Amino acid sequence: MSEQAGPSHYGGANRHHKPKPFAPIDFEPFAGGPDPARVSEAAHLAAQALVRHGRDSDDPVITERLVKLTDEQGLEAIAEMWAESPARSLPGALWRLYALRAATVQDPERISVYFRAGKDTAQVSHVVAGAAEPPGAEEMRAMADAILSGAFDGEFDVALERSAAFCRVVALGQATLADGAEHGNEAHASKLTRNSHQLVKTAEDLEHAANAWRLGELD
């Protein structure tokens, strides 16, 4: 992934990639490489190596570098390697952790609006996600970093479950705001509803991956 050793190049060193659009605040699916079969084995090996490297080290500098790898190399590099991986696999789970962090870091104000709108109803998920109070933009950034950091210096399954809980709170917030906007801006309400459904699916995938990790079956 992009938090791996660096971007992988397929088709020769001279191949250039035009960045694909990414709507972080909407958490919309982000297309990766056009041929998932070509890179499946490499994606799994890269994911395994990255997690092993992070978890074998007790150096906080290495953990920070892993967490912020997309800040330096861009989300595109991870997407090209991992976005087409099965959701309930190690590379698929890592892709979701990194994409959700990128979404939050790029627009924490918007994410904090969604989170605040959902937190009182999704109280259990709110606690599991672990956002500081009040959950403003800086708290969203800090939580996103802490969740991804926990994948390397804590329990990997806990990091997945915290990310899933975060998705559920934001999804509920989006659904709540969609209800309020339905009559005034139907297009916006429909988009929020679609994004909410997508985030719930992401939460389910992350929860499944967490359980698979505990069973030693996430690869």
Side-chain angles (χ1 to χ4, degrees), residues 112-143:
S112 69
V113 170
Y114 296 153
F115 195 90
R116 287 195 300 270
K119 73 183 184 71
D120 291 336
T121 304
Q123 293 184 5
V124 173
S125 292
H126 174 210
V127 171
V128 173
E133 291 289 343
E138 288 305 316
E139 287 74 19
M140 293 294 100
R141 285 196 190 95
M143 180 177 62

Side-chain angles (χ1 to χ4, degrees), residues 179-197:
D179 289 342
E182 186 172 3
H183 299 295
N185 189 334
E186 186 174 347
H188 180 58
S190 295
K191 185 175 183 180
L192 283 174
T193 300
R194 289 194 305 272
N195 294 336
S196 175
H197 291 164

Side-chain angles (χ1 to χ4, degrees), residues 62-80:
I62 290 178
T63 300
E64 183 178 9
R65 287 177 59 191
L66 291 174
V67 169
K68 296 184 176 180
L69 190 59
T70 55
D71 298 350
E72 301 172 0
Q73 301 197 20
L75 197 64
E76 174 76 6
I78 292 181
E80 186 160 332

Side-chain angles (χ1 to χ4, degrees), residues 162-205:
R162 288 187 67 189
S163 189
F166 170 66
C167 288
R168 290 192 179 278
V169 176
V170 172
L172 185 56
Q174 289 177 328
T176 299
L177 293 173
D179 289 342
E182 186 172 3
H183 299 295
N185 189 334
E186 186 174 347
H188 180 58
S190 295
K191 185 175 183 180
L192 283 174
T193 300
R194 289 194 305 272
N195 294 336
S196 175
H197 291 164
Q198 177 64 33
L199 268 186
V200 170
K201 177 61 167 59
T202 298
E204 292 171 349
D205 290 334

Side-chain angles (χ1 to χ4, degrees), residues 144-169:
D145 282 350
I147 289 174
L148 187 52
S149 176
F152 303 113
D153 63 10
E155 298 299 326
F156 192 75
D157 57 327
V158 173
L160 295 174
E161 289 178 333
R162 288 187 67 189
S163 189
F166 170 66
C167 288
R168 290 192 179 278
V169 176

Side-chain angles (χ1 to χ4, degrees), residues 17-140:
H17 299 280
K18 181 179 180 181
K20 299 185 179 78
F22 180 51
I25 61 170
D26 299 324
F27 294 95
E28 292 177 348
F30 186 58
D35 185 4
R38 283 181 65 199
V39 300
S40 178
E41 182 178 3
H44 283 266
L45 290 174
Q48 292 163 6
L50 185 73
V51 172
R52 184 168 58 251
H53 176 62
R55 297 182 64 77
D56 285 349
S57 172
D58 58 1
D59 186 346
V61 174
I62 290 178
T63 300
E64 183 178 9
R65 287 177 59 191
L66 291 174
V67 169
K68 296 184 176 180
L69 190 59
T70 55
D71 298 350
E72 301 172 0
Q73 301 197 20
L75 197 64
E76 174 76 6
I78 292 181
E80 186 160 332
M81 178 68 80
W82 288 346
E84 297 294 342
S85 296
R88 301 182 179 190
S89 67
L90 182 58
L94 283 170
W95 158 244
R96 282 154 181 76
L97 288 178
Y98 275 100
L100 288 166
R101 177 190 176 273
T104 304
V105 169
Q106 290 182 37
D107 200 338
E109 292 284 356
R110 183 79 64 92
I111 299 304
S112 69
V113 170
Y114 296 153
F115 195 90
R116 287 195 300 270
K119 73 183 184 71
D120 291 336
T121 304
Q123 293 184 5
V124 173
S125 292
H126 174 210
V127 171
V128 173
E133 291 289 343
E138 288 305 316
E139 287 74 19
M140 293 294 100

